[in-house]
Amino acid sequence: AALAVVLVLLLVMTLLGTAVLRNTLLDERMSGNLYDRNLAFQAAESGLREAEQRIQDIQIATNDVAKQFPSTGCSEGLCARPTGLTTDRWIDPAFDGWRDATVVLQKMDASPEYFIESMGEAPAWPLCDREVPQHPQCMKQRFRITASNQSAGRARVMLQTNYSVK
């Protein structure tokens, strides 16, 4: 009888050990995925910041950012205003207007990429375009920046922001 009880207890302990091992492996995978996602997020965010700095640099150099953008398509990461009839560029698998960011991240084997779309002028604050006379700082040039990062076989993060020239 003692042998049967010990064998049952041994079986129960083996099953508990196996369950704990499975949970530990799952936790390890989840923490690894979270780590990869955080690295990809930080890389994509650095691509956004680089694109914002690029817009500011163009503004300082030319004082008219909008004229630097092509009238159609994309050139060197600068894209014309999108139309409502086309597929969003970041969804389109045939889109090749991404620009590689120059930022170097040590723990990533891929650098972020981005593109900037000119979105035209828009009011800097609600209803300022309806004021008479209109405030000189009312209308601002707007841009949509899309940045992405993905290492081979790792998490992919895509970020998007709207940016206006000061």
Side-chain angles (χ1 to χ4, degrees):
L3 182 61
V5 170
V6 169
L7 286 176
V8 169
L9 287 175
L10 186 60
L11 178 65
V12 168
M13 293 301 286
T14 304
L15 292 175
L16 283 174
T18 306
V20 168
L21 184 62
R22 284 184 58 201
N23 278 346
T24 303
L25 290 174
L26 181 62
D27 288 345
E28 198 171 314
R29 278 193 220 133
M30 288 189 318
S31 66
N33 287 339
L34 182 62
Y35 178 76
D36 286 346
R37 188 211 168 272
N38 284 338
L39 283 179
F41 181 88
Q42 291 171 13
E45 188 171 21
S46 68
L48 281 179
R49 300 295 167 245
E50 184 174 317
E52 289 173 357
Q53 186 61 48
R54 185 173 178 201
I55 292 171
Q56 289 177 359
D57 292 346
I58 293 171
Q59 175 68 18
I60 291 169
T62 65
N63 205 23
D64 191 358
V65 180
K67 289 186 179 179
Q68 303 303 313
F69 283 76
S71 57
T72 60
C74 293
S75 174
E76 296 182 26
L78 303 177
C79 299
R81 186 176 188 160
T83 63
L85 303 175
T86 58
T87 304
D88 291 327
R89 290 179 171 114
W90 61 90
I91 296 173
D92 188 0
F95 177 67
D96 62 351
W98 294 92
R99 180 184 173 111
D100 289 335
T102 58
V103 67
V104 176
L105 301 167
Q106 294 178 350
K107 295 191 177 188
M108 300 292 292
D109 59 351
S111 64
E113 55 188 8
Y114 67 87
F115 64 90
I116 306 167
E117 296 171 292
S118 176
M119 302 302 285
E121 284 192 335
W125 59 89
L127 303 177
C128 74
D129 55 332
R130 295 185 185 171
E131 294 175 356
V132 177
Q134 193 176 69
H135 191 278
Q137 295 294 317
C138 172
M139 299 303 280
K140 300 267 186 182
Q141 185 67 34
R142 300 278 176 144
F143 303 93
R144 179 169 55 199
I145 304 170
T146 305
S148 176
N149 187 66
Q150 180 177 16
S151 299
R154 302 287 187 153
R156 178 177 185 173
V157 173
M158 186 175 296
L159 300 175
Q160 197 171 69
T161 186
N162 292 322
Y163 186 80
S164 65
V165 176
K166 296 177 182 174

